[in-house]
Amino acid sequence: MTLTKRIIPCIDVDVDEDGNAAVYTGVQFEDLEYTGDPVEMAKEYNEAGADEFTFLDITASAEGRETMLDVVEQVADEVFIPLTVGGGIRTVEDIKETLRAGADKVSINTGAIERPELITEGATAFGNQCILLSVDARRRFDEAGEHYVQIDGESAWFEATIHGGRTGTDLDVLEWVREAEERGAGEMFINSIDKDGTKDGYDLPLMEAVSDAVSTPVIASSGCGHPRHMLEVFEAGADAALAASIFHFDEYTIQETKEYLDDHGVPVRL
Amino acid sequence: MVLDYGLGNLRSVTRGLERAGATVRIVDDPEAIQSADGVILPGVGAFGDGMENAGPFREALLEAAAAGQPILGICLGMQMLLTTSEEADRAGQGDVTGLDLVPGRNVKFRGDLKIPHMGWNELDVKRSHPVIEGIDGGYAYFVHSYYGVPEDTDSILVTSEYGVEFPAVIANEAGNVIGTQFHPEKSGEIGLRLLKNFVAFAADA
């Protein structure tokens, strides 16, 4: 009897030309492909045994945001597992609206980098458990970092980026997650710009370094192409593994993934 | 009836109870408690804030408990059923007194563990009670850094394990006041089962 590792399907939600919410799946934060209706997908994943859901709002407009909150409400009414919503959250008011719509946690990236106090304010107002720090990490092989790991014989550090990896910040991810933890972030949601959409596995050196740096739970994201990759990232110290395309395109079901993990000694909720 | 004392996401617990067949009213008026078949004390956040926000409900809740009305505390709402919490001591809020419906203390997880204890964990039923029928061996969703330790071990109905075996469901001696450390409204079928049991229990009481 022990705490199980969590398997989390993630959907990127945008607004289509008719103004309806739709799920898209991307490769390295670009080349989006239409995947389905968010509420229907959430229901299916709930029935398939997902441990949580994550919705990322990839619309940028205020109109898109309203649509998104509407989708969150519809999902929260149907599905009785934890729901995380991220994308575009900049203020305590944004956090409040998202939680009120039925999200259990919000994931904050750019908003926290621009103003780290947002983490403190959100954690104080709503509790640490609902504030996830989302990090889009990128490997850098220069000398500007603070904490280095060895990757294929080279010394690398991880930089926190914003705007889907297009803008660097020179902020060292390991420093950033420690600061966020002190400020009250209850969980770390770690994406990898280098691995996103590659399907050749999570960024294991990154996930291991972050898991060692903080004592809050770590959700690994980006790069999953096979249940084996989840096994690897759990061995590296992650507490939850997020995946999109392997589930969306029915390459593996959640049940198959969990059975594979169970066969390899990983505690999962079957 | 779900008490709204300014904390937490009430949407899921409301929908869960509705699915269990209940007519749900969200109330912020302590006097409304008396007319309910059952009362839900939800909760997310810190012990001190929770007790402060729940302050106006205190007397009405104590009266309802003494009168045998079914009360279900969820997560922080369970912790508030106990007497004190280390959390309030650590936060420098001194002696914040809980409802003391189940005498005991809330303590923090110790040792080399990730905090909060977040995720799905297995339930081990220790004692029988109508509210926990059919949940033994199931998984429930937890998110908390503190856990309640009732003085009387007979108050512990269900346990789970995270470094230490800790109470997952507790009840008072009369059995009408129940607390779940996990979130039944976030625990899929097992959680809905518990809510359904509570609704039936409240209807019969």
Side-chain angles (χ1 to χ4, degrees), chain A residues 4 51 77 80 104 129 239, chain B residues 11 15 44 114 120 186 188:
Chain A
T4 56
D51 295 318
D77 288 351
F80 297 95
D104 299 287
Q129 80 293 331
D239 301 279
Chain B
R11 194 175 186 97
R15 294 294 173 271
V44 169
K114 292 202 181 185
W120 296 79
K186 289 287 149 190

Side-chain angles (χ1 to χ4, degrees), chain A residues 113-172:
Chain A
I113 287 183
E114 287 175 351
R115 210 172 63 82
E117 294 77 14
L118 181 60
I119 301 171
T120 325
E121 293 164 4
T124 306
F126 309 108
N128 302 27
Q129 80 293 331
C130 67
I131 307 296
L132 269 72
L133 178 75
S134 170
V135 181
D136 288 343
R138 176 167 69 185
R139 292 174 175 182
R140 274 179 62 173
F141 294 89
D142 56 32
E143 290 174 3
E146 292 185 60
H147 303 279
Y148 284 83
V149 298
Q150 292 300 309
I151 299 175
D152 302 330
E154 281 189 84
S155 234
W157 66 284
F158 299 103
E159 179 193 27
T161 67
I162 53 177
H163 306 130
R166 292 189 299 276
T167 310
T169 63
D170 289 330
L171 187 59
D172 190 303

